[in-house]
Amino acid sequence: AGLAPVARDSGMRSPPRRIAGGRPVIRSLLYLAGLQASRRDPAFAAFRARLEAAGKRPKQAIIAVARKLLTVLNAMLRDAKDYATANP
């Protein structure tokens, strides 16, 4: 889906990781879904708040939520179960 951080290190140079690869349309949809999940679902909102409190920038936290959402969606498909909101 293109949400994994890609290292572009060279020697001693280690810039911040960027997301790359995958399909841009899927990545955009997952970003928007992560944004809404972090606003409306208590578990994802708590995850985003914890990341931002630890110093992550807002967009980095939303991408992390999108990756977590993708993991949850894959597990739902694997187990053939509906989503149930976790209590924070």
Side-chain angles (χ1 to χ4, degrees), residues 31-79:
Y31 177 83
L32 291 174
L35 176 63
Q36 288 303 312
S38 69
R39 288 180 176 173
R40 300 181 189 281
D41 186 85
F44 289 113
F47 178 65
R48 179 181 173 186
R50 189 170 67 244
L51 289 175
E52 288 180 357
K56 295 290 183 188
R57 295 186 306 250
K59 285 189 178 182
Q60 285 179 319
I62 294 169
I63 289 295
V65 170
R67 288 190 71 200
K68 188 179 224 30
L69 182 62
L70 182 62
T71 303
V72 169
L73 291 171
N74 282 333
M76 286 170 51
L77 288 173
R78 179 193 65 215
D79 300 337

Side-chain angles (χ1 to χ4, degrees), residues 1-3 20-30:
L3 293 176
R23 290 169 278 185
V25 173
I26 301 297
R27 185 171 47 246
S28 297
L29 291 173
L30 283 170

